[in-house]
């Protein structure tokens, strides 16, 4: 249903302690964004690629496909950062259009390059976390960080419901398509609206049924789920700390 | 000169074509790692009061009636699913709704702020739309600012006795447009233009995202109207259970 979720269940790194993975991803992400250096970003990009596609066993083709998801934003945003429209030409390039120039400076291009590198590096951190850790494990790790229990409960329930509703929604859309529900733009809009409203009705119905089921099983206002523990190994901790120190070093020396 | 013009035209066509072939042209999620650290933290801090207000209101609702917990969770999942299903688009590229406008009309802006941040976390982790570092900025534009505008416009139109469909359309449309403007300004503040500062940069970002965002806002408005009509026709008891119809006598 959701590609990333499916892959995270298959990952070979799935059973590594979630807190360690969370710590690695967040620290690396923070260093990558804080430093904004191309060297750090390139290193992070490479290491995360090796960890996710190599060690984690995520198919490389899918990994590359996932990396192109934010591409449209990256290209559009970077174009807006580099290209200026101004009365005076800047130093890197300038194309005259009437009285104005479509122009850019070399400092701007340099900045845009660093920005792209940082963003791509940061995205691989996010992918490392989401492709190798199941959502419930992330939530269990958050519980250890003492986040508000109501928020976590809500997140857990939403996570579960997403798949229920997504399945229903997709099924409705499939049946609409098989009945010429996407014949032209008007019908398509109407079909989507009908799907949305019936999805809402089904959602409310299901939430009532779920509440009844929970009530029948002694629900007293809090959800308690048993989770299996995968103890953190000392070697993994050492790897994470050494890597972060190394990244810090690269940031310090290469800038 | 003609050669240069050719280059400019070529570049523009390539740029426009980009949106046709790009895998997802989404509601405006700022990509992971795209904002400098200071801005990430600042936007997160700005969101905090709204989130706390939303959280308290949810907490009270759950305390009032435990049954509300599953209902709220279902609403959150509904927003996520509506925003992750492919919507009909004119260009043929794959686009999505924000969903938060519909949420704000149905559940109110306070609930949507908390549901919005949870949905945004799921969008970042499960769909790679947006990111963890840019969560604060995205939450502000999509879960706080947009829904607030939607809700205010909707209430305003209702008190002005405007047609229900028109008010829903205007609310969802303007909320979407506002989200898109806020995101552009967020990007512009982080990356002011070398020629003209923040204002010029904001215009650039607005221009760059206009080809995808303007049609999307119109479609989102239309779809929200269609969904709300469908709900009013078929789902009156359900709407009453979430408190959407309680203020109306005829309901």
């Amino acid at each position: 249903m959701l590609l990333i979720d499916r892959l995270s269940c298959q990952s070979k790194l799935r059973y590594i302690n979630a807190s360690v993975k969370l710590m690695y991803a967040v620290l690396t992400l923070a260093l990558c964004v804080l430093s904004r250096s191309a060297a750090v970003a390139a290193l992070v990009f490479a290491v995360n690629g090796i960890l996710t596609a190599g060690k984690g066993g995520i198919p490389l083709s899918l990994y590359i496909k996932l990396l192109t998801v934010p591409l449209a934003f990256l290209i559009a945003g970077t174009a807006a950062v580099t290209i200026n429209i101004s009365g005076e030409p800047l130093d890197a390039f300038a194309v005259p259009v009437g009285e104005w120039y479509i122009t850019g400076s070399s400092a701007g291009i340099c900045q845009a390059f660093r920005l792209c590198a940082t963003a791509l590096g940061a995205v691989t951190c996010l992918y490392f976390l989401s492709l190798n850790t199941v959502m419930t494990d992330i939530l269990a790790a958050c519980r250890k960080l003492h986040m508000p229990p109501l928020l976590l409960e809500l997140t857990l329930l939403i996570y579960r419901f997403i798949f229920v509703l997504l399945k229903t929604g997709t099924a409705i859309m499939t049946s609409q398509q098989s009945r010429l529900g996407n014949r032209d733009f008007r019908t398509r809009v109407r079909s989507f609206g009908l799907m949305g409203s019936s999805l809402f009705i089904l959602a409310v119905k299901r939430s009532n049924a779920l509440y009844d089921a929970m009530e029948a099983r002694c629900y007293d206002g809090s959800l308690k789920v048993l989770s299996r523990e995968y103890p953190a190994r000392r070697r993994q901790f050492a790897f994470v700390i050494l890597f972060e120190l190394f990244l810090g070093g690269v940031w310090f020396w290469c800038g | 000169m003609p050669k240069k013009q050719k280059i400019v035209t070529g570049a523009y066509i390539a740029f426009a074509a980009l949106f046709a072939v790009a895998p997802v042209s989404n509601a405006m999620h700022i990509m992971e790692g795209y904002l400098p650290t200071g801005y990430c933290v600042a936007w997160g801090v700005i969101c905090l009061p709204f989130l706390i207000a939303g959280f308290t209101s949810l907490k009270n609702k759950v305390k009032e009636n435990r049954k509300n917990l599953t209902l709220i969770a279902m609403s959150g999942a509904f927003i996520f699913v509506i925003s992750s299903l492919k919507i009909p688009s004119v260009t043929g590229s794959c686009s999505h709704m924000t969903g938060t406008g519909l949420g704000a009309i149905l559940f109110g802006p306070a609930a949507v702020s908390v549901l919005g941040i949870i949905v945004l976390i799921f969008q970042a982790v499960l769909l790679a739309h947006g990111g963890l570092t840019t969560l604060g900025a995205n939450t502000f534009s999509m879960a706080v600012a947009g829904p607030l505008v939607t809700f205010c416009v909707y209430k305003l139109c209702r008190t002005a006795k405007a047609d229900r469909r028109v008010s829903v359309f205007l609310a969802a449309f303007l909320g979407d447009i506002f989200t898109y403007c806020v995101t552009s300004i967020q990007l512009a503040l982080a990356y002011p233009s070398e020629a003209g500062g923040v204002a010029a940069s904001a215009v650039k970002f607005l221009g760059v995202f206009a080809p995808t965002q303007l049609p999307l806002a119109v479609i989102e408005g239309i779809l929200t109207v269609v969904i709300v009509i469908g709900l009013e026709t078929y789902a009156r008891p359900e709407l009453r259970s979430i408190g959407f119809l309680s203020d109306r006598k005829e309901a």
Side-chain angles (χ1 to χ4, degrees):
Chain A
M1 197 78 69
L2 292 170
L3 179 64
I4 294 183
D5 191 70
R6 205 186 68 213
L7 289 175
S8 76
C9 294
Q10 294 174 358
S11 164
K12 286 181 202 150
L13 299 177
R14 177 182 166 181
Y15 295 114
I16 287 176
N17 185 285
S19 302
V20 173
K21 284 186 284 190
L22 193 66
M23 185 175 102
Y24 167 81
V26 170
L27 284 179
T28 314
L29 185 62
L31 271 175
C32 191
V33 174
L34 270 172
S35 71
R36 302 185 79 69
S37 95
V40 171
L43 192 66
V44 168
F45 188 85
V47 169
N48 279 334
I50 293 168
L51 281 177
T52 311
K55 285 243 174 196
I58 304 295
L60 193 62
S61 56
L62 287 177
Y63 185 65
I64 291 170
K65 198 179 136 201
L66 283 172
L67 279 176
T68 62
V69 168
L71 208 62
F73 180 87
L74 189 65
I75 293 175
T78 310
V81 171
T82 31
I83 298 168
N84 287 295
I85 294 174
S86 141
E88 284 157 30
L90 294 168
D91 57 347
F93 64 93
V95 183
V97 181
E99 286 180 6
W100 297 81
Y101 289 94
I102 296 177
T103 177
S105 67
S106 16
I109 293 176
C110 204
Q111 189 199 16
F113 173 71
R114 283 230 303 273
L115 182 59
C116 278
T118 308
L120 279 175
V123 165
T124 58
C125 293
L126 179 65
Y127 277 143
F128 171 79
L129 183 68
S130 60
L131 285 174
N132 293 314
T133 321
V134 185
M135 196 69 211
T136 44
D137 289 353
I138 300 181
L139 288 178
C142 289
R143 190 162 297 131
K144 280 186 202 148
L145 296 173
H146 298 289
M147 292 203 182
L150 176 65
L151 201 66
L152 289 174
E153 244 165 54
L154 211 52
T155 317
L156 187 69
L157 280 177
I158 290 180
Y159 176 68
R160 171 69 194 120
F161 291 159
I162 280 172
F163 292 94
V164 174
L165 288 187
L166 209 55
K167 206 172 167 190
T168 320
T170 327
I172 294 176
M173 281 184 115
T174 309
S175 62
Q176 281 176 341
Q177 276 174 19
S178 64
R179 289 165 179 78
L180 295 180
N182 58 350
R183 187 162 41 102
D184 52 22
F185 187 69
R186 257 187 94 84
T187 340
R188 239 177 291 162
V189 167
R190 197 173 148 261
S191 303
F192 192 90
L194 284 176
M195 189 276 295
S197 44
S198 46
L199 197 62
F200 180 81
I201 299 171
L202 288 170
V204 174
K205 207 179 251 172
R206 272 189 195 264
S207 86
N208 287 335
L210 181 86
Y211 179 76
D212 293 343
M214 275 162 40
E215 193 82 317
R217 287 162 182 78
C218 306
Y219 171 63
D220 64 344
S222 70
L223 292 174
K224 292 182 187 73
V225 190
L226 285 178
S227 58
R228 193 177 288 178
E229 281 292 315
Y230 306 103
R233 296 237 178 90
R234 220 172 262 157
R235 223 175 36 168
Q236 293 160 351
F237 257 118
F239 167 78
V240 172
I241 288 167
L242 278 180
F243 181 70
E244 302 307 334
L245 285 177
F246 181 60
L247 269 189
V250 171
W251 177 20
F252 189 71
W253 276 296
C254 301
Chain B
M1 200 46 152
K3 197 187 165 196
K4 274 185 179 166
Q5 266 176 359
K6 240 187 225 168
I7 295 173
V8 172
T9 332
Y12 187 75
I13 292 172
F15 185 70
L18 179 85
F19 290 105
V21 295
V24 258
S25 64
N26 208 311
M28 301 260 296
H29 293 77
I30 300 177
M31 176 183 175
E32 178 78 281
Y34 210 76
L35 286 180
T37 326
Y39 290 89
C40 300
V41 177
W43 286 113
V45 171
I46 292 175
C47 286
L48 220 54
F50 296 97
L51 290 175
I52 291 173
F55 188 66
T56 335
S57 109
L58 283 189
K59 214 171 188 173
N60 288 338
K61 266 189 197 167
V62 172
K63 210 180 263 173
E64 199 178 285
N65 185 354
R66 285 201 307 231
K67 205 168 176 173
N68 281 336
L69 182 72
T70 52
L71 201 59
I72 293 165
M74 215 32 123
S75 319
F78 179 68
I79 296 177
F80 178 91
V81 170
I82 281 291
S83 68
S84 70
L85 287 173
K86 229 198 289 183
I87 59 169
S89 76
V90 199
T91 52
S93 73
C94 167
S95 44
H96 303 272
M97 283 172 81
T98 352
T100 46
L102 180 65
I105 294 176
L106 291 178
F107 316 117
V112 166
S113 65
V114 177
L115 291 182
I117 192 172
I118 297 177
V119 167
L120 281 169
I121 292 173
F122 280 129
Q123 283 176 337
V125 174
L126 298 177
L127 300 172
H129 296 158
L132 299 177
T133 54
T134 53
L135 191 64
N138 283 332
T139 307
F140 183 75
S141 68
M142 284 197 251
V144 174
L148 264 182
V149 166
T150 305
F151 188 73
C152 292
V153 170
Y154 180 70
K155 282 285 157 202
L156 218 69
C157 287
R158 293 308 297 159
T159 39
K161 298 268 187 313
D163 181 51
R164 207 182 182 85
R165 293 174 193 195
V166 175
S167 36
V168 169
F169 176 80
L170 274 182
F173 174 73
L174 290 177
D176 228 31
I177 294 284
F178 193 66
T179 300
Y180 147 68
C181 292
V182 168
T183 314
S184 300
I185 291 169
Q186 284 172 335
L187 286 167
L189 281 174
Y191 300 104
S193 161
E194 295 141 309
V198 174
S201 183
V203 172
K204 280 195 296 180
F205 278 110
L206 282 172
V208 151
F209 292 110
T212 48
Q213 290 308 309
L214 292 181
L216 209 61
V218 177
I219 293 180
E220 168 133 20
I222 298 172
L223 287 177
T224 310
V225 173
V226 179
I227 292 178
V228 170
I229 292 175
L231 286 177
E232 291 192 335
T233 323
Y234 302 117
R236 293 196 153 258
E238 283 84 358
L239 285 181
R240 222 164 289 137
S241 74
I242 59 161
F244 177 65
L245 281 178
S246 59
D247 53 334
R248 293 178 62 210
K249 276 185 194 132
E250 71 265 44

